[in-house]
Amino acid sequence: MRSQSLLPRRAWLQRAATAAAALALAPSCATSATARAARHPLGCYTRPWDQLDYRAALDGMAEAGFQYAGLMTTRGRPSLVVHVDSTPEAVAAVAAEVKARGLKVISIYGGDFHAEQGVAAGVAGLKRLVDHCVSCGCPHLLLGGTGDARVFPAYYQAVREVCPYAEARQVTLTIKPHGGLNATGPECRKIIESVGHRRFRLWYDPGNIFYYSDGRLDPVEDAATVNGLVAGMSVKDFLPPKEVMLTPGTGRVNFPAVLRRLQRGGFTAGPLVIECLSRGNGQDARLITAEARKAREFVEGLLKG
């Protein structure tokens, strides 16, 4: 009888211990998810709203629940919110518009910086873009690279010379897979290692890996080639034959697998900035903002997972 009465008691104690462990683990998991989200600031670029004024993009981001804005394309000529020839006054006005909506600038894409005119012009232009980042309180300047082999040496010599200037101002220069001579992880790695400065890093773009390989190179595979290089990521999806204007999670990119692979390679902190969304004809701000909200919730789900 005694041995029979002990068996239920042992089972009860085991179940109690299991339940206690589960309760202890639940806050830990929640804390872990919160910590991951804090390490990966989530933003959205102006690009989905670029058939409209950039202020409409900022309005949409704020309404969709973002805290961080990426400045990229907008309506007009030149079609960039901030570019190499922007005046300090114009950049200050942009910064004020961002701040007025309770947002912070996390990344700026300013386009080319006159490297085609030579190293000296490239250095001067790139320093102006760094200064624009400082004016906006932005820690990351995104570069597209060059597909022109004649401009290539001057372009990256300018990057090399400006890295110390950027470091002194706490701005990180980043390059993304963007076709041409920097279409894949290995090509970007070669460029970054040739510059050889910790303030020049990779801004990963899984949608572009598919796009510039015509869907043949899976970013999950490519992500294995960029260990130790990634400072941030453009959250961009892809559908064949050549479509990236999609809300993340609706195309071919396996975002959970890409993010896991990048994290295994050292990308444990850094911004995730949504670059593209489904947007119809691009004129309906409400539609774009609704897609932005869906995208934010999708990426938040990735971080929680």
Side-chain angles (χ1 to χ4, degrees), residues 97-170:
E97 295 283 358
V98 173
K99 185 177 181 180
R101 290 160 177 80
L103 299 168
K104 296 179 181 179
V105 182
I106 195 69
S107 173
I108 292 176
Y109 174 70
D112 293 330
F113 47 87
H114 300 323
E116 73 283 355
Q117 299 175 21
V119 174
V123 167
L126 189 50
K127 283 183 175 180
R128 283 199 296 276
L129 288 177
V130 171
D131 291 342
H132 294 341
C133 286
V134 173
S135 296
C136 291
C138 175
H140 298 280
L141 175 62
L142 176 60
L143 307 177
T146 177
D148 190 335
R150 295 168 299 178
V151 177
F152 189 96
Y155 189 102
Y156 292 106
Q157 181 59 33
V159 171
R160 187 177 296 108
E161 293 187 20
V162 172
C163 278
Y165 183 87
E167 183 169 43
R169 288 151 184 80
Q170 299 184 359

Side-chain angles (χ1 to χ4, degrees), residues 268-291:
T268 56
L272 302 174
V273 189
I274 295 158
E275 184 175 331
C276 296
L277 299 166
S278 301
R279 61 178 186 175
N281 64 10
Q283 300 293 326
D284 187 341
R286 291 175 299 177
L287 182 154
I288 302 168
T289 298
E291 293 301 308

Side-chain angles (χ1 to χ4, degrees), residues 132-249:
H132 294 341
C133 286
V134 173
S135 296
C136 291
C138 175
H140 298 280
L141 175 62
L142 176 60
L143 307 177
T146 177
D148 190 335
R150 295 168 299 178
V151 177
F152 189 96
Y155 189 102
Y156 292 106
Q157 181 59 33
V159 171
R160 187 177 296 108
E161 293 187 20
V162 172
C163 278
Y165 183 87
E167 183 169 43
R169 288 151 184 80
Q170 299 184 359
V171 174
T172 297
L173 310 181
T174 61
I175 187 172
K176 63 149 61 184
H178 202 236
L181 301 172
N182 52 290
T184 66
E187 289 174 348
C188 290
R189 173 176 286 282
K190 184 176 180 181
I191 290 168
I192 291 168
E193 290 179 348
S194 72
V195 170
H197 197 285
R198 62 185 178 183
R199 281 289 173 170
F200 185 46
R201 301 283 89 188
L202 180 64
W203 196 266
Y204 202 66
D205 188 327
N208 275 6
I209 296 298
F210 266 140
Y211 183 90
Y212 288 106
S213 69
D214 295 321
R216 291 189 294 268
L217 177 57
D218 193 316
V220 177
E221 299 174 10
D222 184 78
T225 71
V226 297
N227 290 355
L229 298 180
V230 182
M233 185 169 88
S234 280
V235 182
K236 183 191 294 178
D237 217 328
F238 167 85
L239 280 176
K242 286 282 193 179
E243 184 58 69
V244 293
M245 275 300 176
L246 303 166
T247 300

